[in-house]
């Protein structure tokens, strides 16, 4: 899914059910491209999409902070916590750590939910 332009992101939200899945810090030397076709530099969001009329038209896409902020605004969805696979247990629980919006709030995790979230994020990175 291409999302370089604001108008295309608006159309995407109108045509598809778009859901944020993860907010992930890039690993050193990891290379990924966003839905704008640009190389991601530091962190990215992963979104899933399903066409509203044709459920067989679905998938995932990655985007950088600028596009993700716009998608989250269009979806009226709050930021997801930044997952850094190389950080210690304490740091990976902070919300917005250098992320979209810049707020630094602490999220209290149920241990099982935290483990599931970390597993999903690791699968996305892989």
């Amino acid at each position: 899914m291409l999302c370089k332009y604001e108008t295309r992101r608006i159309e995407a939200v109108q045509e598809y059910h778009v859901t944020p899945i993860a907010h992930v810090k890039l690993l050193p030397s990891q290379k990924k491209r966003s839905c704008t076709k640009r190389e991601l530099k530091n962190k990215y969001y992963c979104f899933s999409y399903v066409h509203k009329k044709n459920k067989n038209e679905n998938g995932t896409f990655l985007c950088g902070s600028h596009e993700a902020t716009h998608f989250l605004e269009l979806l009226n969805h709050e930021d997801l916590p930044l997952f850094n696979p190389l950080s210690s247990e304490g740091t990976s629980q902070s919300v917005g750590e250098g992320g979209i919006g810049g707020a630094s709030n602490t999220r209290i995790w149920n241990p099982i939910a935290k483990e599931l979230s970390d597993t999903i994020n690791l699968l996305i990175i892989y």
Side-chain angles (χ1 to χ4, degrees):
M1 174 179 294
L2 292 173
C3 64
K4 185 173 185 177
Y5 301 104
E6 187 174 305
T7 54
R8 180 60 194 128
R9 293 189 293 274
I10 293 168
E11 290 171 3
V13 169
Q14 291 170 347
E15 295 175 29
Y16 297 89
H17 295 288
V18 178
T19 306
I21 300 174
H23 183 198
V24 183
K25 176 109 172 93
L26 277 168
L27 295 170
S29 76
Q30 185 180 28
K31 300 212 184 284
K32 292 197 178 269
R33 292 220 172 262
S34 78
C35 57
T36 64
K37 301 296 183 195
R38 295 185 193 125
E39 187 175 322
L40 295 163
K41 301 289 184 191
N42 184 24
K43 56 191 168 220
Y44 61 92
Y45 259 84
C46 179
F47 288 87
S48 69
Y49 66 92
V50 178
H51 196 278
K52 290 181 178 177
K53 294 180 182 173
N54 178 4
K55 304 293 183 209
N56 293 324
E57 191 177 329
N58 60 67
T60 60
F61 64 93
L62 307 177
C63 60
S65 294
H66 176 74
E67 293 79 18
T69 299
H70 189 223
F71 272 118
L72 293 172
E73 287 172 4
L74 292 171
L75 298 169
N76 195 27
H77 197 286
E78 63 185 48
D79 296 347
L80 296 179
L82 178 64
F83 176 74
N84 183 349
L86 300 180
S87 71
S88 68
E89 185 72 25
T91 353
S92 66
Q93 292 185 0
S94 84
V95 177
E97 177 185 31
I100 299 170
S104 184
N105 304 319
T106 301
R107 173 175 283 177
I108 305 302
W109 283 92
N110 172 298
I112 295 171
K114 175 73 174 116
E115 189 173 329
L116 179 59
S117 176
D118 288 350
T119 302
I120 291 168
N121 285 318
L122 287 170
L123 285 171
I124 290 169
I125 290 169
Y126 180 70

